[in-house]
Amino acid sequence: MKLIEHFVGGKIIPGSSDKKGKVYNPATGEQESEVRLASKSDLDQAVEVAKKAFETWSLKPPLQRARVIFKFKELIEKNSEELTKLIVSEHGKVYEDARGSLTRGLEVVEFACGIPHLLKGEYSENVGTDVDSYSMRQPLGVVAGITPFNFPAMVPMWMFPIAIACGNTFILKPSEKDPSCPLRLAELLSEAGLPDGVFNVINGDKEAVDAILENKDIKAVSFVGSTPIAKYIYENSAKNEKRVQALGGAKNHLVVMPDCDLDGAVNGLMGAAYGSAGERCMAQSVAVAVGDIGDELVSRLSKKAEALKVGPGMDKTSEMGPLVTKEHLEKVKSYVDLGVEEGAKLVVDGRNLKLQGYENGFYIGGCLFDHVNKDMRIYKEEIFGPVLSVVRVKTFEEAAKLINDHEYGNGVSIYTRDGDAGRTFASKIQIGMVGINVPIPVPMAFHSFGGWKRSLFGDSGMHGMEGIKFYTKLKTVTSRWPSGVRSNAEFVMPTMK
Ligand code: NAD
């Protein structure tokens, strides 16, 4: 069976540990490969390599670093089919969706190509008589990224293109469920001319993550995953004096106002709730029906959810693929069971879906609940599967309160034709990313991605200028070039004259 190893110092290297994880093809349910899980010493050795590489990479002019990133961009484009197939084969999502996620990652690479401009500092002449001041941003050193299974290319690419363009060196610890695409990206970076040791991939589980958190030479940690682990990463990175951004889970609401374009809202909800089998942190898993729109909304949604074409990701007719693992499939099914027990009305039940020829694949059909309320666990908790809950409320204010009271604050959308409602919503809602008549409001690479509340621990989001700031530290220089006149010692707080 194929064994997936680590990538350190510009090449694939075997790890020292005998611990291995299983990697499945979710479409067939077959195990396709094994992945080596790193020990602490594997991680520490990779950090030594990255630390050495930092000495020279950080001194390269940003323009030269940008040229490597630009070449990498071309290689992703050239190899996009292979990369997409790797995502589909281990994650399960449908081909076009996987390709779209690769493109969203590529856009961050394009953003990072502008690094000479993005790193420009500030200069003030004559902050005092004959005294000038300038500020610059310098790289941190070795930084690490720990990423989830649901976007094996895009989420790592939110991080490393910017980190390395800023002059840092990088250790990526991707999800052990779908590690092949990140490894291929490492090879492409080498092919693009990235010096050995600047980008390294360490495969692993909690042991590798803990080794990252404890290693004194790792200066910053970027994490994306579930909320309990995000909190753990945040607390332990801070305890070990690291800079940290830790993005967590979500429960996103899409508010359907009675005046909206209902077809637009229904189509938006179908893609946002069931696309990628609901395994997106920006999936819209709650539809909030305002006023009297509920019956019509549920009637239209149920017809479409029943007609969803579920199948293998490589089948061009599939709209939704399988879930990532059997364990995750069982977890999602158990949430549907729970919703029934809690008294929600299961309008569309996808639990018994069986696909001919793919009987062992990790499939579930789209599920739709009506009359969900805020006290139910299926409302409060992230299910991360193709399960859409409809909550009915009387007013816009009630919808906004429901959303603001939720512990998560990643994404939210409203469908309305009323500019006043749209503007008030954008202004008042306690959520990091807001859509108005847009179902999945994922910011572009040159803006920044990040939720509020328990969807993000730390101060900065990913990519855009938040990314540049996260991966650099600010230095401000105040300088005077004396021309003959020497000043005497001053014993009071200096103020500019
Ligand atoms: P996860 O939290 O299980 O795993 C994320 C990473 O943490 C993986 O690399 C994993 O190996 C590691 N990890 C897992 N358990 C650990 C432990 N006990 N100690 C240390 N490290 C551990 O998440 P997942 O299941 O891979 O991904 C799905 C989750 O990610 C969902 O909650 C989803 O909402 C979230 N997510 C959030 C965003 C966002 O931007 N906020 C984006 C994508 C995914």
Side-chain angles (χ1 to χ4, degrees), residues 54 58 65 137-141 163 166-168 471-473:
F54 179 76
S58 57
R65 298 200 294 257
R137 303 206 71 94
Q138 296 188 329
L140 307 175
C166 287
N168 301 285
Y471 289 121
T472 54
K473 50 196 172 187

Side-chain angles (χ1 to χ4, degrees), residues 146-151 155 158 173-177 204-206 209 223-226 229 232 247-250 281 382 384 410 449 455:
I146 303 163
T147 52
F149 80 83
N150 66 326
F151 287 109
V155 170
W158 283 352
K173 204 304 283 170
S175 170
E176 62 276 40
K177 292 182 185 132
D205 58 6
K206 179 170 167 49
V209 170
F223 172 87
V224 177
S226 60
I229 313 296
Y232 175 80
L247 279 62
C281 66
E382 181 181 44
F384 221 55
N410 216 40
F449 184 107
S455 294

Side-chain angles (χ1 to χ4, degrees), residues 21-33 35 87-93 149-150 175-179 276-277 279 321-334 360-364 383-386:
K22 293 178 179 175
V23 181
Y24 291 90
N25 179 345
T28 60
E30 300 286 320
Q31 185 186 343
E32 298 275 311
S33 44
V35 57
I87 300 173
V88 176
S89 69
E90 292 180 353
H91 178 283
K93 63 179 78 178
F149 80 83
N150 66 326
S175 170
E176 62 276 40
K177 292 182 185 132
D178 46 12
S276 209
E279 292 170 321
L323 292 174
V324 68
T325 58
K326 191 163 172 42
E327 293 72 42
H328 191 52
L329 174 65
E330 294 309 327
K331 182 178 157 195
V332 171
K333 278 186 180 170
S334 74
N360 296 324
F362 310 138
Y363 299 95
I364 181 170
I383 299 174
F384 221 55

Side-chain angles (χ1 to χ4, degrees), residues 94-350:
V94 300
Y95 184 87
E96 283 306 322
D97 184 33
R99 207 162 69 129
S101 72
L102 185 68
T103 303
R104 294 307 295 259
L106 180 66
E107 287 162 5
V108 183
V109 178
E110 289 167 340
F111 172 73
C113 289
I115 201 69
H117 178 75
L118 296 165
L119 280 182
K120 273 193 321 200
E122 293 176 330
Y123 191 100
S124 303
E125 188 185 24
N126 260 353
V127 292
T129 307
D130 293 339
V131 177
D132 305 324
S133 191
Y134 59 95
S135 59
M136 53 189 156
R137 303 206 71 94
Q138 296 188 329
L140 307 175
V142 182
V143 299
I146 303 163
T147 52
F149 80 83
N150 66 326
F151 287 109
M154 182 185 83
V155 170
M157 283 154 89
W158 283 352
M159 305 171 181
F160 73 76
I162 297 179
I164 61 181
C166 287
N168 301 285
T169 54
F170 202 94
I171 307 279
L172 174 67
K173 204 304 283 170
S175 170
E176 62 276 40
K177 292 182 185 132
D178 46 12
S180 291
C181 189
L183 266 192
R184 188 71 188 108
L185 290 174
E187 289 174 343
L188 293 180
L189 274 166
S190 277
E191 202 181 320
L194 191 74
D196 295 348
V198 174
F199 182 73
N200 308 279
V201 180
I202 285 288
N203 285 304
D205 58 6
K206 179 170 167 49
E207 187 176 343
V209 170
D210 285 341
I212 288 174
L213 300 177
E214 284 160 20
N215 189 298
K216 294 275 175 272
D217 288 318
I218 292 180
K219 301 298 174 199
V221 176
S222 299
F223 172 87
V224 177
S226 60
T227 287
I229 313 296
K231 186 165 185 285
Y232 175 80
I233 301 285
Y234 179 64
E235 289 173 352
N236 285 285
S237 299
K239 197 167 86 189
N240 289 310
E241 301 174 10
K242 299 181 196 314
R243 189 176 282 201
V244 56
Q245 50 181 186
L247 279 62
K251 193 82 181 176
N252 306 310
H253 300 69
L254 189 147
V255 179
V256 184
M257 294 294 285
D259 69 334
C260 78
D261 162 15
L262 194 55
D263 281 337
V266 167
N267 287 333
L269 268 169
M270 287 301 299
Y274 301 112
S276 209
E279 292 170 321
R280 290 182 183 142
C281 66
M282 290 293 274
Q284 297 285 8
S285 50
V286 182
V288 186
V290 179
D292 57 6
I293 199 86
D295 288 346
E296 186 57 26
L297 176 68
V298 171
S299 152
R300 292 199 201 183
L301 280 173
S302 62
K303 285 190 198 98
K304 287 191 182 260
E306 268 158 12
L308 256 180
K309 295 195 191 82
V310 183
M314 288 307 295
D315 182 337
K316 283 204 163 60
T317 63
S318 302
E319 292 169 326
M320 189 174 101
L323 292 174
V324 68
T325 58
K326 191 163 172 42
E327 293 72 42
H328 191 52
L329 174 65
E330 294 309 327
K331 182 178 157 195
V332 171
K333 278 186 180 170
S334 74
Y335 266 112
V336 182
D337 298 344
L338 175 69
V340 175
E341 276 167 40
E342 290 185 310
K345 184 176 172 200
L346 185 57
V347 183
V348 181
D349 183 359

Side-chain angles (χ1 to χ4, degrees), residues 425-438:
F425 188 78
S427 166
K428 296 283 188 303
I429 210 76
Q430 299 297 304
I431 303 285
M433 293 171 281
V434 182
I436 301 177
N437 299 314
V438 168

